Amino acid sequence: MPRWNSEGIPREQLIWILRERPDLIQAARRIDSCLLCRGSRVNEAALCPLCWGILDEPELTVAQAWLTGNHP
């Protein structure tokens, strides 16, 4: 899937970033900027409602860990 915004991360890197780069998650949350599309109203995983809705099962599993406080 191509990026919706050239400033967002490539989708194929999402799981890696959610697991290995909490600094990027925290930075995106701090400025309220979605990791994928750079939209606003991000959740604890730094994803906006629109991008949250398009996650596949492996991505959703890792992202939900951020919502429950069990992030890596």
Side-chain angles (χ1 to χ4, degrees):
M1 173 190 219
R3 287 185 267 182
W4 294 3
N5 181 328
S6 63
E7 295 176 11
I9 65 166
R11 175 123 180 235
E12 61 269 8
Q13 293 181 5
L14 180 61
I15 291 176
W16 177 77
I17 287 174
L18 288 169
R19 286 185 177 152
E20 305 294 332
R21 297 295 310 269
D23 59 315
L24 294 179
I25 307 300
Q26 293 164 351
R29 288 172 50 191
R30 189 170 33 257
I31 61 172
D32 192 30
S33 180
C34 178
L35 289 171
L36 295 174
C37 75
R38 293 301 180 199
S40 60
R41 299 186 316 124
V42 300
N43 61 20
E44 290 83 357
L47 295 166
C48 71
L50 181 62
C51 290
W52 182 265
I54 63 165
L55 297 181
D56 59 26
E57 189 61 37
E59 294 167 335
L60 189 58
T61 299
V62 176
Q64 282 180 327
W66 282 89
L67 272 58
T68 62
N70 294 323
H71 58 279

